[in-house]
Amino acid sequence: MIDELRIDDVGVIVSARVPLGPGLTVITGETGAGKTMVLTGLALILGGKADAGLVRTGAEKATAEGCFVVDPDSAVAARAREAGAEVDEDGTLLAMRTVAASGRSRAFLGGRGVPASVLVEIADQLVTVHGQQDQARLRSPRRQREALDAFAGPAHQGRIAEYRELWARLQRTRTELAELLAHVEDRRLEAELLRAGLTEIERVDPRPGEDLELAAEAERLGHTEDLTAAAAMAHRLIAGAGSPEEPGAAALVDQARSVLEHVGVHDPQLAALAVRVADVGYVVEDLAAELSGYGQDLEADPARLDEVHRRRAELTAVARAHGGTVDDALAWASDAGLRLARIETRSGTAELAAQIERMESELADLAERITAGRSEAAVRLASSVTEELVGLAMPDAALQVELVRLTDQGPWGAEDVAMLLVPHAGSEARPLGVGASGGELSRVMLAIEVALATAPGSGAARPGTFVFDEVDAGVGGRAAVEVGRRLAELALRAQVVVVTHLPQVAAYADHHLVVSKSQQAGADVVTASDVRVVNGPERVDELARMLGGRVTDTALQHAAELLERSVVGR
């Protein structure tokens, strides 16, 4: 619900505070007083087009601010918070729009700057505006489908939600299958290459680090004679030739130890050195033993060397193909195995095709149920709207609601919805907006909204506020009374704001606002005091003015009768 609207420097309005309450609020006033500018200000905070021409002449900017009251736990409040807006604990949500004379506009929601599109998104869930410029929306197949689905009730809308979720999953699965089929040859070739590489690695069966081990062995086997000679020479130098002429390093170290031990009793420092020389002797003896064993164990083995070269060639071929070393090849094999498994899993196009077939069957069943629901609701909606039109000075008019079968199922079902109007007896049914006047379309919109509001369960999905501009265009007399009565009926279920020039409509209001004009410096402007709430005698005076232009005794009597009849007619 809109609690209050404030407007500054919009069109001819200097400053206005417009209180709006629950039920039916009418806005009246003389031609040129600025009634439409009130709705223009409202359109700004609903995200409407910002035009520098809206700024009052001489002002720097136009400002419109609205105070909404929403359920703090509603989707609207959640979306506002998501945009950074603050929603008070009591559900108060402020929206503001400024338009500079240069044409630049800014939007605010809950004290936070937001794109104007956010205001549009919020407004779509809170307010429905019906005016001459909004009649194009009624001609939209999408809007007509939404109206019919809302009329069909919550259970029907639940089926549509289920259908849409399944339809989206079906599109994703179809896309996945198409991608698989489009790249099936690429994946087949990749799988063949992966299998060939894995087969070769499996045949060679390398061990981690095996290439490094064989390289060292090949180096040793290829230099057996040099290694044996070097070991023998080192052993001879350490162990000696077995004669006094060639004592060797071991014998010389032992002699040094003996000399030091003999005189070391006279000096602890020298005795310690003798111990260290003895340790050296043990090391030298161990080296001599190992060199002797190395020379005995190392033998030339041409057959083994050939085997090592052959094995290294196999490993080198595998390693070069997959990174350079055996360890690189083994790492590639691990990754390739996983990749091949994924390819083979994803290549299950038959499984995806089966899933698509099941979903298509389920979707067709849901679409059939939705079609049945729409068919039944179309008959009821057409009958309800036609009945309303009779009371709105269109006694021979009739609304037809038809389902137009689609070639392929769309995201909303198997058909579009077309609303056709038979404006006069014997005339041909035509799409809304073709051959109907603006006043007739306004009354059709009102009849549809009343039908939707009174349908069991359908009102829950409708916005809480309806704004009508010129809904009474082209009507008068008894028809005007019926327009007022139906607006009042709609206002029992929602907040309704109407700009009207008909006293028969204004008489049904719960709240009556009058916009009047005053003169300043020779120009017509509307000041803050010129938008006021009228009650009691003031309201009777305003209705009298609307009846005859002048407040006469006859007009006052007629106005009082209108008010009395509107109370009885509710």
Side-chain angles (χ1 to χ4, degrees):
M1 184 184 81
I2 307 173
D3 185 59
E4 185 177 79
L5 178 65
R6 292 178 179 271
I7 304 171
D8 295 299
D9 295 322
V10 175
V12 295
I13 295 180
V14 176
S15 181
R17 174 182 172 274
V18 184
L20 301 173
L24 174 61
T25 298
V26 298
I27 302 174
T28 65
E30 296 180 1
T31 302
K35 300 187 299 295
T36 302
M37 286 298 103
V38 174
L39 295 190
T40 299
L42 177 60
L44 283 175
I45 65 171
L46 299 181
K49 181 180 179 182
D51 187 344
L54 297 177
V55 182
R56 186 178 62 85
T57 302
E60 295 182 358
K61 65 179 180 181
T63 302
E65 181 177 2
C67 177
F68 293 91
V69 178
V70 302
D71 183 349
D73 298 324
S74 65
V76 171
R79 178 65 185 94
R81 294 189 186 98
E82 181 183 334
E86 291 186 5
V87 181
D88 292 346
E89 293 182 358
D90 62 355
T92 300
L93 177 63
L94 297 178
M96 186 173 74
R97 191 86 177 277
T98 63
V99 183
S102 61
R104 181 184 179 186
S105 71
R106 298 186 65 186
F108 302 87
L109 184 67
R112 179 67 62 88
V114 297
S117 59
V118 174
L119 295 184
V120 174
E121 187 178 348
I122 295 294
D124 281 345
Q125 301 179 64
L126 294 177
V127 183
T128 295
V129 178
H130 287 304
Q132 297 292 332
Q133 69 274 20
D134 299 290
Q135 291 171 359
R137 295 190 301 179
L138 187 62
R139 305 168 192 169
S140 162
R142 178 176 71 88
R143 294 284 184 175
Q144 294 176 8
R145 186 199 66 241
E146 290 174 350
L148 179 60
D149 288 339
F151 186 81
H156 174 80
Q157 292 172 341
R159 283 191 291 272
I160 292 177
E162 183 181 356
Y163 175 94
R164 283 182 54 75
E165 193 278 332
L166 180 59
W167 188 86
R169 282 198 290 118
L170 175 60
Q171 304 317 305
R172 291 194 297 267
T173 307
R174 283 173 172 169
T175 300
E176 183 180 357
L177 178 60
E179 290 177 350
L180 287 175
L181 293 175
H183 300 90
V184 65
E185 182 63 18
D186 293 340
R187 284 191 303 279
R188 186 186 66 79
L189 293 175
E190 182 183 1
E192 286 184 1
L193 291 174
L194 291 173
R195 291 192 191 97
L198 290 170
T199 299
E200 179 63 13
I201 291 177
E202 183 178 357
R203 184 189 68 79
V204 174
D205 192 22
R207 293 180 290 103
E210 184 181 0
D211 50 344
L212 300 179
E213 296 174 5
L214 291 179
E217 185 177 358
E219 187 71 13
R220 185 172 65 253
L221 291 175
H223 298 82
T224 302
E225 293 182 0
D226 294 338
L227 295 173
T228 301
M233 175 62 72
H235 178 268
R236 182 171 182 172
L237 292 172
I238 293 174
S243 64
E245 291 78 10
E246 292 186 55
L252 294 174
V253 171
D254 188 59
Q255 290 177 15
R257 177 195 57 77
S258 177
V259 169
L260 293 175
E261 286 181 348
H262 180 69
V263 297
V265 296
H266 305 296
D267 184 357
Q269 183 177 359
L270 195 60
L273 291 174
V275 173
R276 293 173 64 186
V277 171
D279 292 337
V280 172
Y282 300 143
V283 173
V284 171
E285 290 177 358
D286 289 342
L287 286 172
E290 289 185 26
L291 287 169
S292 177
Y294 178 85
Q296 293 174 3
D297 294 338
L298 188 60
E299 296 180 358
D301 188 350
R304 173 58 184 167
L305 182 59
D306 289 343
E307 173 62 22
V308 168
H309 286 323
R310 185 195 64 77
R311 179 63 175 169
R312 289 188 68 198
E314 284 184 331
L315 294 176
T316 298
V318 169
R320 285 177 178 174
H322 303 294
T325 68
V326 165
D327 287 351
D328 292 334
L330 291 173
W332 176 89
S334 177
D335 294 339
L338 296 175
R339 172 62 179 165
L340 183 59
R342 286 196 295 269
I343 290 176
E344 291 174 343
T345 299
R346 291 186 64 197
S347 63
T349 55
E351 181 181 351
L352 284 178
Q355 290 180 17
I356 290 174
E357 185 175 353
R358 288 193 298 271
M359 284 190 283
E360 287 176 340
S361 176
E362 186 178 349
L363 198 70
D365 290 341
L366 274 174
E368 186 175 345
R369 294 168 61 192
I370 290 172
T371 299
R374 283 174 175 158
S375 297
E376 186 273 338
V379 174
R380 290 192 294 110
L381 179 61
S383 175
S384 179
V385 172
T386 298
E387 183 179 347
E388 291 293 330
L389 292 176
V390 171
L392 293 173
M394 299 176 68
D396 298 322
L399 182 74
Q400 297 178 2
V401 183
E402 297 183 354
L403 304 185
V404 182
R405 196 74 179 180
L406 298 174
T407 304
D408 297 314
Q409 292 178 6
W412 296 95
E415 61 276 326
D416 272 337
V417 175
M419 292 185 180
L420 308 176
L421 180 65
V422 179
H424 311 289
S427 60
E428 181 182 349
R430 295 183 179 182
L432 290 180
V434 177
S437 67
E440 288 174 331
L441 279 180
S442 295
R443 280 174 277 170
V444 171
M445 286 193 295
L446 175 58
I448 290 175
E449 291 296 0
V450 172
L452 291 175
T454 56
S458 65
R462 307 294 293 164
T465 298
F466 294 89
V467 178
F468 292 91
D469 184 19
E470 299 185 34
V471 69
D472 50 16
V475 300
R478 180 61 187 170
V481 173
E482 291 300 322
V483 169
R485 185 179 65 81
R486 280 160 175 76
L487 288 170
E489 183 178 351
L490 180 61
L492 295 175
R493 298 167 177 83
Q495 180 187 43
V496 179
V497 179
V498 182
V499 173
T500 183
H501 65 280
L502 293 179
Q504 297 93 329
V505 173
Y508 278 90
D510 298 297
H511 313 283
H512 192 154
L513 302 178
V514 176
V515 181
S516 57
K517 60 183 179 180
S518 60
Q519 298 288 329
Q520 286 187 357
D524 289 348
V525 298
V526 180
T527 65
S529 61
D530 290 327
V531 178
R532 68 188 192 280
V533 179
V534 293
N535 291 296
E538 282 189 312
R539 187 178 181 196
V540 176
D541 287 346
E542 173 63 12
L543 292 177
R545 181 200 62 77
M546 296 174 70
L547 282 167
R550 292 187 305 163
V551 180
T552 64
D553 291 340
T554 302
L556 288 172
Q557 182 179 357
H558 191 184
E561 292 175 355
L562 276 179
L563 283 174
E564 183 178 352
R565 285 202 301 266
S566 69
V567 173
V568 174
R570 294 196 184 190

